[in-house]
Amino acid sequence: MRIHLLFLLISLPSTLCIFMNISTSSNYKTIFSFGDSLADTGNHLTYGREAILAIDKSPYGITYFHRPTGRCSDGRLVVDFIAEAFGVPELPPYLATVEGQNLRHGVNFAVAGATALDTSFFYERGLDAFLWTNSSLSIQLGWFKKLKPSICKQATDCTKFLRKSLFLVGEIGGNDYNFAFLMGQTIEDVKKIVHRVVRAIVEATKTLIKEGAVNLVIPGNFPVGCLTVYQSLFQSRNKEDYDSHNKCLVAYNHFSQYHNRRLKETWIKMQRQLSQCQHHLCGLLQYCNAFLQFSRKVWIYKGSCAISLLWRR
């Protein structure tokens, strides 16, 4: 087993360049995407809950598609650019697919508002006030398992097909924390569920590997202290609560770092349980510095926020 650690304390273009240089040699023909609003290409809209986010109205989609598509963006998402880089068509949302449709180029299972943990976790703890979908990561995995026999019927065909497929496992987990914070939970309170969230993400990755996935990417969490909603809801009069370089909330960015460290540590521990699999490439890609590129000043984020772990067997 060989483990390669790349510390990506760089901006978005360089991060994507390194990722593509590592991966394009595999010439992916298919992409399967799981996650939340950062990757959803239309499942939430198809699900019939558009009124919550109003993503069926302008200005959503105006800069590229010139119409709302169900993406939580005025243009394309990261998954769209990854697909374009590999020459793969835009991924259709799973809930909008029809019987007989050719899905050999991949499917998007991500749903805006989705969580890594099952929704029962939030209902049992009274953290469900902002929960609007039950399409958690385990539900999305169930959709993949249901779809799989229709795109590769024989075991040998599936093996060959999935070896040329790229699996994007997230970003996922951000909403688990968002819903808790919005319910008034403190950072220390929310830290207590991080181990559950990262375990759910890693277990989902293990499930995909057992299903035949070979090439997987697991994004980390954003520096949420830079998000407008966090800066509005948790604003402080204490200047020390803000980073002097980018004016982001320090404590909440440290929380994102904590999640990303735990995700990395948990994945390394889980590797040993996957000895039955061979020749896997798995990456932990973190958006932190790419996101900070859009803050007031371009700078290198301190700490272990942007780390890419590439795992080969």
Side-chain angles (χ1 to χ4, degrees):
M1 182 190 302
R2 292 178 294 163
I3 298 176
H4 308 278
L5 289 176
L6 300 180
F7 295 90
L8 304 180
L9 300 179
I10 46 184
S11 63
L12 177 59
S14 300
T15 303
L16 291 180
C17 179
I18 288 179
F19 169 66
M20 297 307 174
N21 284 345
I22 291 169
S23 307
T24 49
S25 61
S26 297
N27 192 26
Y28 302 120
K29 302 295 185 184
T30 307
I31 298 175
F32 294 105
S33 175
F34 304 80
D36 53 27
S37 60
L38 299 177
D40 185 357
T41 56
N43 283 310
H44 174 73
L45 190 62
T46 306
Y47 193 62
R49 301 297 300 278
E50 64 275 6
I52 294 176
L53 295 180
I55 56 176
D56 61 331
K57 300 176 177 64
S58 182
Y60 289 96
I62 62 173
T63 64
Y64 184 80
F65 301 100
H66 307 297
R67 60 180 175 82
T69 62
R71 290 167 173 79
C72 294
S73 170
D74 63 350
R76 291 184 287 176
L77 304 175
V78 171
V79 63
D80 295 310
F81 290 101
I82 293 176
E84 181 182 58
F86 290 112
V88 175
E90 292 162 4
L91 302 184
Y94 172 77
L95 294 179
T97 59
V98 296
E99 187 175 352
Q101 183 176 348
N102 182 3
L103 301 175
R104 295 281 291 186
H105 288 297
V107 178
N108 195 326
F109 301 99
V111 180
T115 53
L117 297 173
D118 288 341
T119 54
S120 59
F121 174 87
F122 301 94
Y123 286 116
E124 291 168 0
R125 291 162 177 78
L127 300 175
D128 57 300
F130 297 93
L131 198 65
W132 69 70
T133 178
N134 67 348
S135 303
S136 63
L137 186 54
S138 65
I139 297 295
Q140 296 176 31
L141 288 175
W143 291 343
F144 171 73
K145 292 178 182 180
K146 182 179 179 180
L147 177 70
K148 183 180 170 185
S150 68
I151 54 178
C152 57
K153 301 184 184 302
Q154 303 297 325
T156 53
D157 179 39
C158 279
T159 299
K160 184 183 297 185
F161 175 72
L162 295 177
R163 281 187 178 280
K164 290 184 176 290
S165 301
L166 178 64
F167 288 77
L168 306 176
V169 191
E171 192 269 344
I172 190 74
N175 286 321
D176 299 67
Y177 305 137
N178 292 339
F179 297 149
F181 282 131
L182 290 172
M183 289 296 294
Q185 297 280 294
T186 67
I187 290 177
E188 290 306 312
D189 290 333
V190 181
K191 272 188 174 182
K192 295 175 183 178
I193 71 170
V194 170
H195 71 287
R196 294 176 181 269
V197 173
V198 298
R199 186 188 305 136
I201 296 170
V202 173
E203 287 293 340
T205 305
K206 285 174 58 180
T207 297
L208 289 171
I209 290 175
K210 291 176 181 178
E211 288 290 325
V214 173
N215 309 288
L216 307 100
V217 174
I218 313 169
N221 201 2
F222 282 103
V224 296
C226 298
L227 298 178
T228 303
V229 64
Y230 274 72
Q231 295 211 2
S232 177
L233 292 175
F234 308 118
Q235 58 185 296
S236 171
R237 294 182 179 180
N238 187 351
K239 292 184 178 180
E240 294 182 356
D241 291 338
Y242 294 88
D243 190 285
S244 60
H245 295 280
N246 55 28
K247 310 306 179 186
C248 298
L249 287 163
V250 174
Y252 288 93
N253 278 357
H254 285 173
F255 174 81
S256 293
Q257 286 183 301
Y258 179 74
H259 165 89
N260 292 340
R261 285 196 302 269
R262 291 298 300 267
L263 181 60
K264 172 189 168 186
E265 293 164 0
T266 304
W267 174 252
I268 290 175
K269 291 178 182 178
M270 287 287 190
Q271 290 182 62
R272 303 183 184 94
Q273 301 177 25
L274 299 169
S275 57
Q276 76 276 21
C277 304
Q278 295 181 345
H279 309 303
H280 288 81
L281 168 63
C282 191
L284 289 173
L285 295 185
Q286 316 243 358
Y287 293 135
C288 180
N289 287 280
F291 189 92
L292 287 169
Q293 184 79 3
F294 296 94
S295 61
R296 292 187 180 182
K297 295 183 179 180
V298 180
W299 68 298
I300 300 301
Y301 191 72
K302 300 175 182 178
S304 58
C305 190
I307 298 175
S308 176
L309 169 64
L310 299 177
W311 173 52
R312 284 189 182 278
R313 286 181 179 275

